[in-house]
Amino acid sequence: HNQTAIFGKNDYKGLQESAYLNLIRQTYISNTNHILKYGVSYYADRYTESFSGEHINAPFSDKVRVDLMSGIFSEYALKMEENFNLVAGIRADYYNNTEEINYLPRLNMKYNPTENTAIRFSAGRAFRIANVFVENASFLASTRTITLENLNPEIAWNYGTNITYCFRFLGREGTINADAYRTVFENQVVVDIETPGELSFYNLNGESIANSMQIDLGYELFKRFDVKIAYKINDVQTTFEGVEKVVPLLPERHALFNVAYATNFEKWKFDVTANYIGQSRIPSHVEIKEEFSHPFNLYNAQITKRFRYFDVYLGGENILDYKQNIPILD
């Protein structure tokens, strides 16, 4: 993967070369209701990056980072009758740059108390290596002074549950989904824009959590006319220089309303979506008095005509032309 970008006087160039090997063996314990898998994996990534500009504390050219991840893993799957499934696994990965072994357990369960209801639960520990310039490119188009520490891998515990209920109402099918998930970071690469004119990347020193809850309803109102409604709450907090705050520029609420209609044999398809984007915390700035942004709505629509060998569509995003009054300050 080769990527270049120019942000005013900030120039970025990155090359990623990857290799991956995975060997798995599967066997049964007593019968096919008990499945055991185990194996080894090997990841190799070489990153060659350059970042130059007058706004970084230490410009670098053709800086090379080699990530080598050697791992062993095992997974057990249990299937009981038709209403319960369980998958439990653990892997151990040795990472060359920290010279540590990371143990990553995980558990997934699914239970069907009735034919129309499914309850899922998942939990696990996760490990990843951040590439901060590519992942935060939107912040580079500014005159912020960039500071970069030696960054450790991100490690977090994730767990949550999902409930799905399928129903029939007035002879039509519908589905209700409810999700609740939580992530707790042991370490995180903090992207700090709390100080005007500065962009800092450093390791977490404190607490960082992310909670997400969503409920959605899908229903066929009449033949080939589908309606979907969804609502989501985000509660994401991170410690910035010793102070725990809500993560900036991340909407706390989301809502969606979608209607879709198709004619016979789907020769014509019509789709309209309304999105509600709730308030986000705004980092401190001398030109901005508000602590939170104002909520807003976005509307998208599309019409599709299907032919035998191809489709033609006409659509629009943000069709009411919502935009910030003053998008650039200072």
Side-chain angles (χ1 to χ4, degrees):
H1 179 79
N2 194 6
Q3 181 168 331
T4 59
I6 299 173
F7 305 95
K9 296 182 178 181
N10 294 337
D11 293 351
Y12 173 80
K13 181 175 66 174
L15 173 67
Q16 177 187 2
E17 300 163 285
S18 299
Y20 170 55
L21 173 68
N22 197 38
L23 301 175
I24 305 174
R25 186 175 189 274
Q26 175 177 305
T27 186
Y28 298 105
I29 303 174
S30 300
N31 55 56
T32 56
N33 291 335
H34 304 269
I35 302 173
L36 179 66
K37 297 179 183 178
Y38 55 90
V40 297
S41 64
Y42 183 77
Y43 297 82
D45 287 288
R46 181 170 63 189
Y47 299 91
T48 306
E49 292 184 295
S50 301
F51 191 91
S52 61
E54 59 186 35
H55 305 302
I56 186 169
N57 63 333
F60 53 89
S61 177
D62 293 332
K63 183 179 180 180
V64 176
R65 188 185 87 231
V66 177
D67 294 335
L68 303 177
M69 198 87 66
S70 308
I72 59 173
F73 57 87
S74 180
E75 178 183 283
Y76 167 71
L78 168 66
K79 183 177 181 181
M80 295 178 59
E81 304 299 333
E82 297 295 329
N83 64 345
F84 182 79
N85 293 310
L86 179 148
V87 178
I90 188 170
R91 62 178 300 124
D93 291 304
Y94 176 80
Y95 178 45
N96 64 309
N97 288 325
T98 59
E99 297 182 344
E100 293 180 345
I101 298 176
N102 294 283
Y103 297 96
L104 308 173
R106 69 185 183 97
L107 175 68
N108 291 274
M109 294 187 294
K110 179 185 175 185
Y111 173 60
N112 296 88
T114 68
E115 290 185 356
N116 299 326
T117 306
I119 301 172
R120 299 174 179 86
F121 173 80
S122 62
R125 190 170 185 255
F127 172 94
R128 72 180 290 270
I129 300 151
N131 293 289
V132 293
F133 289 101
V134 173
E135 294 168 10
N136 299 280
S138 61
F139 292 132
L140 303 181
S142 70
T143 57
R144 290 179 180 269
T145 300
I146 302 170
T147 57
L148 183 67
E149 291 184 1
N150 291 325
L151 302 175
N152 297 324
E154 295 188 315
I155 301 175
W157 286 91
N158 309 281
Y159 50 91
T161 186
N162 162 264
I163 300 175
T164 300
Y165 176 67
C166 301
F167 64 92
R168 293 188 67 87
F169 180 69
L170 300 178
R172 302 290 179 189
E173 293 184 351
T175 304
I176 297 175
N177 274 295
D179 297 281
Y181 289 95
R182 179 179 175 89
T183 300
V184 180
F185 285 91
E186 293 182 19
N187 184 59
Q188 183 182 30
V189 174
V190 177
V191 182
D192 189 339
I193 55 171
E194 297 300 310
T195 303
E198 295 183 11
L199 169 62
S200 302
F201 301 104
Y202 52 83
N203 295 306
L204 176 69
N205 183 16
E207 293 187 352
S208 180
I209 60 167
N211 299 314
S212 175
M213 291 167 283
Q214 177 174 314
I215 186 167
D216 58 80
L217 166 67
Y219 181 64
E220 186 183 33
L221 196 61
F222 54 87
K223 193 172 184 180
R224 299 185 302 278
F225 187 91
D226 296 313
V227 176
K228 184 174 183 178
I229 303 171
Y231 185 75
K232 184 177 183 180
I233 300 173
N234 290 313
D235 174 26
V236 185
Q237 301 184 33
T238 297
T239 303
F240 298 95
E241 298 289 359
V243 180
E244 189 171 336
K245 301 179 182 179
V246 173
V247 170
L249 308 183
L250 180 67
E252 295 181 349
R253 302 286 188 272
H254 271 282
L256 175 142
F257 178 73
N258 171 264
V259 292
Y261 176 70
T263 61
N264 281 331
F265 308 109
E266 295 190 340
K267 290 185 176 181
W268 286 90
K269 293 194 291 184
F270 305 86
D271 190 283
V272 179
T273 303
N275 292 284
Y276 168 82
I277 293 90
Q279 67 177 19
S280 304
R281 186 176 71 82
I282 303 173
S284 174
H285 194 285
V286 67
E287 298 287 343
I288 303 176
K289 300 300 184 282
E290 294 90 351
E291 185 180 358
F292 289 90
S293 65
H294 297 290
F296 60 95
N297 299 295
L298 294 176
Y299 300 91
N300 308 323
Q302 182 169 305
I303 301 172
T304 304
K305 172 66 170 121
R306 295 190 64 185
F307 296 92
R308 185 173 182 181
Y309 296 110
F310 61 93
D311 297 354
V312 176
Y313 69 88
L314 174 68
E317 297 182 2
N318 191 19
I319 56 179
L320 295 187
D321 195 29
Y322 173 83
K323 55 182 180 290
Q324 289 180 254
N325 293 328
I326 306 174
I328 299 175
L329 296 176
D330 193 19

